[in-house]
Amino acid sequence: MTSAYEPWNDARGAEIIAEHEKLEGATLVILHAMQEAFGYVPEPAIPMIASALRLSRAEVHGVFTFYHDFRREPAGRHVLKLCRAEACQAAGGDALAARAEATLGISVGNTTTDARVTLESIYCLGLCATAPSAMLDGRVVGRLDEARLDALVAEAQR
């Protein structure tokens, strides 16, 4: 099993920063680019971003921690996000999340020991009319039930 992400190194981090530092809203853009490249935002990236953008480390860290989508650790090979917004909760999303946790042997916010699957919460995929919903590696799935969830989990474990 190979990772879809690059291993962290300072030179690549500096390259990503240089590529985006002149853009409007560069802090968010760079954090997203780091996560896209490495699967997470490495801790050494925070002071590098702060220095390049002439911000304090606290300012960059504040942006990083404010948004739930940024990870501190590498994601698994596949990322399964379960919608936890109100419409999905009302349609049985909590029971499905518990089922996914039990099946994968991890709690939401963690990665399986074999690094195949990261299970995350997401707050609204915009599929309220087809709740509950999920997203596997960027592909959204509505009308989630036990069978569809089991199929998504099985797909992610491959």
Side-chain angles (χ1 to χ4, degrees):
M1 178 174 69
T2 60
S3 174
Y5 303 109
E6 304 172 40
W8 164 256
N9 71 68
D10 289 343
R12 179 66 174 122
E15 183 180 295
I16 290 169
I17 292 168
E19 194 175 310
H20 303 300
E21 68 183 326
K22 301 291 186 220
L23 299 175
E24 188 173 332
T27 305
L28 274 175
V29 175
I30 292 169
L31 289 169
H32 279 290
M34 291 280 183
Q35 187 154 298
E36 180 75 22
F38 305 115
Y40 70 114
V41 178
E43 190 63 35
I46 300 295
M48 292 173 66
I49 296 167
S51 177
L53 300 180
R54 293 176 180 79
L55 299 170
S56 71
R57 289 180 184 187
E59 288 173 301
V60 176
H61 187 264
V63 173
F64 171 71
T65 57
F66 179 80
Y67 294 98
H68 292 61
D69 226 25
F70 295 124
R71 297 184 200 94
R72 295 178 185 275
E73 300 291 327
R77 184 171 173 198
H78 299 284
V79 178
L80 177 58
K81 297 182 180 193
L82 302 175
C83 184
R84 305 310 301 270
E86 291 82 2
C88 287
Q89 284 180 31
D94 289 343
L96 291 172
R99 183 180 183 89
E101 288 176 326
T103 303
L104 292 168
I106 58 172
S107 59
V108 171
N110 291 291
T111 300
T112 56
T113 56
D114 63 5
R116 286 184 189 269
V117 185
T118 296
L119 183 62
E120 295 180 340
S121 293
I122 191 164
Y123 295 90
C124 198
L125 289 167
L127 297 175
C128 302
T130 60
S133 59
M135 180 187 297
L136 178 61
D137 298 334
R139 185 181 87 235
V140 294
V141 178
R143 301 192 201 305
L144 206 60
D145 58 17
E146 289 182 355
R148 290 188 90 176
L149 174 67
D150 292 349
L152 284 177
V153 170
E155 180 182 340
Q157 289 177 313
R158 286 187 231 144

